[in-house]
Amino acid sequence: MTALADLRLLVLAPLFGALLVAVAPARWSRALGGLAAGLALLVALALVSAAPETLAIRAPWIPALGLEFALGLGGLALPGLIITCLIGQVASLATDGSRGTIAAGLGLQGVVLAALLAEDLGLLVTCLGLLAPLVVGLLAAGPRPDRLRAALPAGFYLALAAAAVAVAAGALAVAQHDASGGQWTLEIAALAQVLVPAEVEAAIGGLLALAGGLLLGLWPLHGWSLAGAAAGPSGAALLLFGPVRLLGLDLLLRLWLPLTPTAAAA
């Protein structure tokens, strides 16, 4: 099992599975989706016995902007990874799933896993930006018109959450750039050390809280998730109420609280 403990394999298994489902004959969709989700679940379980410090992955992405492809297994990530993979496995085998919904669901699972592991805010924002089109594809697949009516608001609110985190990331990057004498970075651990004026921190904290509330589906920001779960296939409901909400909780715990502690305590 330890040979499977690789964060890249965890993320790529559902993403590659989504590609296979999209191009393979429709009659193979459920089998391929189940295999891809099952592999991701095995990898997630293998991480339980692995040392987190041996799993970290770092590679330059856009060096001029300080962006890295940085994945790591934080203290709160492992339960979320296992829950996401369990739900992804069930969703991929749902009897009412089509090729389009299975492929979109696997893509959504891979993006959520990458976001839970991201240690660079630029990578996290990229993952959040991919949520909207994937959820729209997941909900809109099928002939029922109510699915499209539910998919468009879901896409809008998820895009709004991604935009809020992107603006917050930009403000934090500028503050870190000024504090470090001209060095750009979006590493979450480095941004947590930056002191910003109270007014700026309050604004950043508000943006992160808004994004977390949208992803979690907290009242009064919950309408899109309820409508999407009701109109979409059963696999979509599982993914919306499971991995997407987990991502909202992760955002609040990993970004909102440590990056804007004063605003979060207010």
Side-chain angles (χ1 to χ4, degrees):
M1 288 288 284
T2 55
L4 291 174
D6 190 308
L7 301 184
R8 291 165 296 190
L9 180 59
L10 178 66
V11 173
L12 290 176
L15 294 178
F16 187 63
L19 179 61
L20 284 179
V21 170
V23 300
R27 65 181 182 275
W28 296 352
S29 298
R30 192 172 294 115
L32 290 173
L35 286 173
L39 176 59
L41 179 57
L42 287 176
V43 176
L45 293 174
L47 296 176
V48 174
S49 59
E53 60 273 10
T54 65
L55 299 172
I57 297 171
R58 290 188 175 275
W61 185 14
I62 307 178
L65 298 179
L67 296 178
E68 289 184 314
F69 184 82
L71 300 178
L73 187 62
L76 299 175
L78 188 57
L81 297 176
I82 294 175
I83 292 171
T84 297
C85 291
L86 280 170
I87 293 175
Q89 176 75 87
V90 175
S92 65
L93 297 174
T95 55
D96 59 348
S98 64
R99 177 166 60 181
T101 59
I102 293 172
L106 287 169
L108 180 62
Q109 178 185 344
V111 166
V112 169
L113 291 172
L116 292 173
L117 294 167
E119 294 189 338
D120 182 272
L121 200 48
L123 177 60
L124 180 56
V125 169
T126 301
C127 293
L128 292 176
L130 292 173
L131 284 183
L134 286 169
V135 169
V136 169
L138 180 65
L139 295 178
R144 289 169 47 187
D146 59 325
R147 288 189 176 181
L148 182 60
R149 288 195 296 268
L152 294 179
F156 170 77
Y157 285 112
L158 289 172
L160 179 61
V165 178
V167 173
L172 287 167
V174 170
Q176 198 280 335
H177 175 268
D178 294 342
S180 64
Q183 181 181 2
W184 290 104
T185 183
L186 280 172
E187 184 182 358
I188 295 174
L191 296 178
Q193 307 301 318
V194 178
L195 297 177
V196 296
E199 299 82 1
V200 177
E201 182 180 346
I204 295 172
L207 289 169
L208 295 177
L210 172 64
L214 284 167
L215 293 172
L216 270 171
L218 297 179
W219 186 90
L221 307 172
H222 64 302
W224 70 268
S225 61
L226 294 177
S234 57
L238 289 171
L239 292 167
L240 289 178
F241 284 141
V244 173
R245 286 192 168 185
L246 276 173
L247 192 52
L249 179 61
D250 177 76
L251 190 152
L252 293 177
L253 294 177
R254 280 207 302 148
L255 298 186
W256 184 54
L257 288 175
L259 298 184
T260 59
T262 304

